[in-house]
Amino acid sequence: MMEINELKKKAIEIRKETLEMIYNAKTGHTGSDLSCTDILVALYYEVMNIDPKNPEMINRDQYIQSKGHAAEVLWTVLANKGFFEKAELKKFSQYGSRLIGHPNNKVAGVEMNTGSLGHGLSVSVGIALAGKMNGDNFHIYTLMGDGELAEGSIWEGAMAAANFGLDNLTAIIDRNGLQITGASEDVMKMESLKDKWIAFGWEVQEIDGNNMEILVDTLRKPNKTGIPKMIIAHTIKGKGISFIENKANWHHKVPTEDEMMTALSELNQQLEELKNV
Amino acid sequence: MSKKNTIANRQAMCEVLIEEAKENSDVIVLTSDSRGSASLAKFADQLPAQLIEVGIAEQNLVSISAGMAHMGKRPFAASPACFLSMRSIEQIKVDVAYSNKNVKLVGISGGISYGALGMTHHSLQDFAVTRAIPNLQVLVPADRHETKKMFKVLATTNIPAYIRLGRNPVEDCYPDDSYEFEIGKAITMTDGTDLVFIAAGETVRQAMDASLLLKKKGISAKVLNLHSLKPFDELAVKKAARETGRVISVEEHSIYGGLGAAVAESLSEEKGIVHKIVGLPDEALVTGTTIELFKHYGMDGASLAELGKKMVE
Ligand SMILES: Cc1ncc(C[n+]2csc(CCOP(=O)(O)OP(=O)(O)O)c2C)c(N)n1
């Protein structure tokens, strides 16, 4: 178990490396990555039972990233956990590389290929259902974007998860309030989100999705028997870098050299502050 | 060759749609969090009342468009080709083509334009699946001039259509837009007698480059632009094949079911013709940009010229 302060530091390191990767490759979903970095760190460093040396371990917990476009942060986390060499991150998006702009299960640690939004929840229902049939003892976590919820397939999955009583399933909505075009609530109204999921038969928790302590706490709590769990994680898109935070146009913008310097110095500053805790 | 073109086909489309929508308030654009990718932000700014945003919901996008067409609107539904042609294909088959509703389905960033974003974002099956749906035209413009001409026609036709556009600017194939364009009529870009390249969309420019390279080697290669995969100009294909005896079809699509298949179908009763299908193989592609992949899979001008030379020798 890692201390909360260590997890927070880890999240900042991951943010730095993710940005470097995007900056090198001149492509990536900067805002989308930074928004869910804390969620991935909580899952991979604290909550999930996984073994990078044995990626197909029986009864491992599984993670499905339905918002596949935030691949850069996933690659960074997987490399840091030791699923592959960190040096490979430099090849992200390059000719011939297996590290592409979406999760790709040619790489150990990735369970399912994603990138087309609205698939992850139903796929997770299938995994959870098979787990139940086998009597397996693992948990599955699925991360979705909030704009993604406009896909009808999400609601088919929502219905099915409750119908099958999948208490081995936790879904997380990265509720950063933005998508490509602008504010998600302007693009397609979805409030009250909590009421919708409750009506679909889920147990719903609404939390600050950039708060490590709360994240770990909420993710660790077991599901109620026979009920899938939804965590509506209120996050900041672009979290951690002042000029990227809450800006729709940073969805897939790449920092310039100057922006990169400022971003890194802001993150270093945050690291310093945590060292003094 | 002319100066490097910086205007993408999708931008050319936006200009035409703005003009047409100003003239006719029934012209409606629908997007699925895709107005930026479709270069339609300008349309949204100038004609907000004629743009409907449905969020990330491609199936909804197509069915809503069909409903609006039923009411006499002229909807242009624009979404990445990969999602539009796969996710929403049943809505396209049933609500648009079968119910005969005049929806123009604009697949943006088609083929391998999304490069390193991978298989989820490539649309390499769209010709195959849309071509097999009755009452649906399948169109793919070669450059910005052809895009302009095509959308001007589409603004007034009453037939459902799927139009695939690439993401990045392509080098001009036409000097300007002062030429005859008709849906279903292939265009001879370069005349030639030794072989014919049959191309569509972004491969037209590559085929033209190949023809130029071959000319220097004394080989005369015709280039035929099949901007309409459906209706398909069988006559033009047969004529070019008979005249040259050697056919190379080249498409930014799976080698199965697309342009090459359509050419082979047209030539199935012809005698003495060699036909080589060039396109993306039936496997997960290597990672790369459009031009890296064109080179990798022998679809760029130089590789095509090489292939043409071998065929003639
Ligand atoms: C089916 C599908 N449609 C469209 C896209 C293109 N796309 C990629 S990311 C994105 C916006 C996602 O917004 P949101 O779900 O809110 O995630 P965020 O990046 O804000 O966390 C879109 C439309 C896609 N990947 N898949």
Side-chain angles (χ1 to χ4, degrees), chain A residues 119-152:
Chain A
H119 290 231
L121 186 59
S122 297
V123 165
S124 304
V125 166
I127 293 169
L129 192 55
K132 287 266 174 200
M133 291 168 84
N134 295 344
D136 291 342
N137 181 25
F138 71 87
H139 204 90
I140 173 141
Y141 301 88
T142 309
L143 179 67
M144 300 180 281
D146 51 0
E148 184 183 356
L149 302 181
E151 291 287 2

Side-chain angles (χ1 to χ4, degrees), chain A residues 3-102:
Chain A
E3 270 189 52
I4 293 295
N5 205 47
E6 291 306 307
L7 289 170
K8 287 184 184 169
K9 283 196 233 162
K10 189 47 112 187
I12 294 170
E13 294 292 355
I14 298 284
R15 283 191 164 89
K16 283 170 62 177
E17 289 178 28
T18 302
L19 273 179
E20 267 156 14
M21 190 171 158
I22 292 171
Y23 181 70
N24 278 333
K26 296 284 172 273
T27 180
H29 290 83
T30 310
S32 314
D33 287 320
L34 295 169
S35 146
C36 60
T37 303
D38 300 305
I39 297 169
L40 270 85
V41 168
L43 283 170
Y44 275 91
Y45 283 88
E46 189 58 32
V47 176
M48 289 203 294
N49 172 31
I50 47 166
D51 178 4
K53 296 286 164 282
N54 186 6
E56 299 193 9
M57 179 176 76
I58 309 269
N59 275 329
R60 69 184 178 283
D61 289 338
Q62 297 196 32
Y63 170 69
I64 304 290
Q65 188 168 302
S66 195
K67 51 168 273 188
H69 55 282
E72 300 80 19
V73 64
L74 179 65
W75 294 138
T76 308
V77 166
L78 290 179
N80 273 277
K81 286 295 290 184
F83 282 95
F84 57 88
E85 293 290 328
K86 268 172 87 166
E88 198 178 339
L89 293 176
K90 293 219 167 61
K91 296 197 183 139
F92 170 64
S93 274
Q94 305 301 303
Y95 178 59
S97 175
R98 56 181 192 154
L99 300 186
I100 60 170
H102 292 98

Side-chain angles (χ1 to χ4, degrees), chain B residues 8-305:
Chain B
N9 294 351
R10 52 196 173 125
Q11 283 166 280
M13 165 189 74
C14 182
E15 296 303 329
V16 177
L17 289 180
I18 288 174
E19 268 172 43
E20 296 293 332
K22 280 183 177 162
E23 291 284 308
N24 180 356
S25 60
D26 281 338
V27 172
I28 304 288
V29 166
L30 292 97
T31 52
S32 55
D33 200 13
S34 50
R35 76 183 63 170
S37 333
S39 289
L40 286 165
K42 198 167 155 193
F43 185 105
D45 289 343
Q46 293 191 21
L47 296 151
Q50 280 161 266
L51 186 128
I52 308 287
E53 172 63 59
V54 304
I56 309 170
E58 295 78 9
Q59 296 173 314
N60 217 13
L61 175 84
V62 173
S63 298
I64 290 174
S65 301
M68 295 186 80
H70 175 67
M71 296 302 291
K73 302 289 181 198
R74 305 187 67 86
F76 285 75
S79 188
C82 51
F83 311 125
L84 188 63
S85 68
M86 293 279 118
R87 183 64 146 264
S88 323
I89 197 66
E90 203 200 16
Q91 281 77 8
I92 293 175
K93 183 185 87 170
V94 176
D95 305 336
V96 177
Y98 180 41
S99 287
N100 190 27
K101 297 304 160 197
N102 183 21
V103 179
K104 308 302 190 214
L105 302 146
V106 185
I108 51 174
S109 301
I112 48 175
S113 326
Y114 275 131
L117 292 184
M119 166 91 95
T120 55
H121 282 58
H122 296 158
S123 63
L124 297 174
Q125 300 78 25
D126 52 345
F127 295 162
V129 65
T130 53
R131 225 163 62 74
I133 296 175
N135 192 36
L136 184 69
Q137 295 184 333
V138 181
L139 309 172
V140 48
D143 72 356
R144 58 184 168 137
H145 301 303
E146 194 158 83
T147 304
K148 188 171 165 191
K149 298 203 73 109
M150 191 179 277
F151 276 87
K152 277 197 172 301
V153 173
L154 289 169
T156 59
T157 61
N158 291 315
I159 307 166
Y162 170 76
I163 310 99
R164 187 224 264 191
L165 302 178
R167 181 172 180 79
N168 304 311
V170 275
E171 286 311 307
D172 288 345
C173 300
Y174 299 95
D176 52 45
D177 59 5
S178 62
Y179 68 97
E180 285 296 313
F181 174 87
E182 193 183 323
I183 288 177
K185 275 261 172 305
I187 294 174
T188 300
M189 310 300 289
T190 318
D191 246 319
T193 50
D194 295 326
L195 76 144
V196 58
F197 287 108
I198 298 183
E202 305 204 358
T203 59
V204 172
R205 183 67 255 175
Q206 302 301 328
M208 290 169 75
D209 291 348
S211 173
L212 284 172
L213 290 170
L214 285 172
K215 195 172 174 189
K216 289 183 196 148
K217 298 203 162 92
I219 296 171
S220 156
K222 182 181 172 101
V223 177
L224 199 58
N225 171 6
L226 268 286
H227 51 72
S228 303
L229 281 148
K230 208 177 163 190
F232 193 74
D233 194 345
E234 267 196 44
L235 282 180
V237 169
K238 281 184 182 163
K239 186 164 173 282
R242 282 177 197 152
E243 282 168 4
T244 60
R246 302 182 190 92
V247 180
I248 297 176
S249 62
V250 50
E251 64 198 297
E252 193 177 334
H253 185 273
S254 162
I255 49 169
Y256 296 152
L259 174 68
V263 170
E265 287 154 15
S266 304
L267 300 180
S268 65
E269 288 172 21
E270 298 290 312
K271 290 196 185 72
I273 288 161
V274 199
H275 172 204
K276 172 88 186 153
I277 297 179
V278 179
L280 282 317
D282 185 36
E283 62 194 34
L285 304 184
V286 300
T287 302
T289 61
T290 300
I291 195 62
E292 281 168 348
L293 294 190
F294 273 9
K295 284 185 181 150
H296 188 96
Y297 294 110
M299 298 167 59
D300 63 309
S303 312
L304 290 172

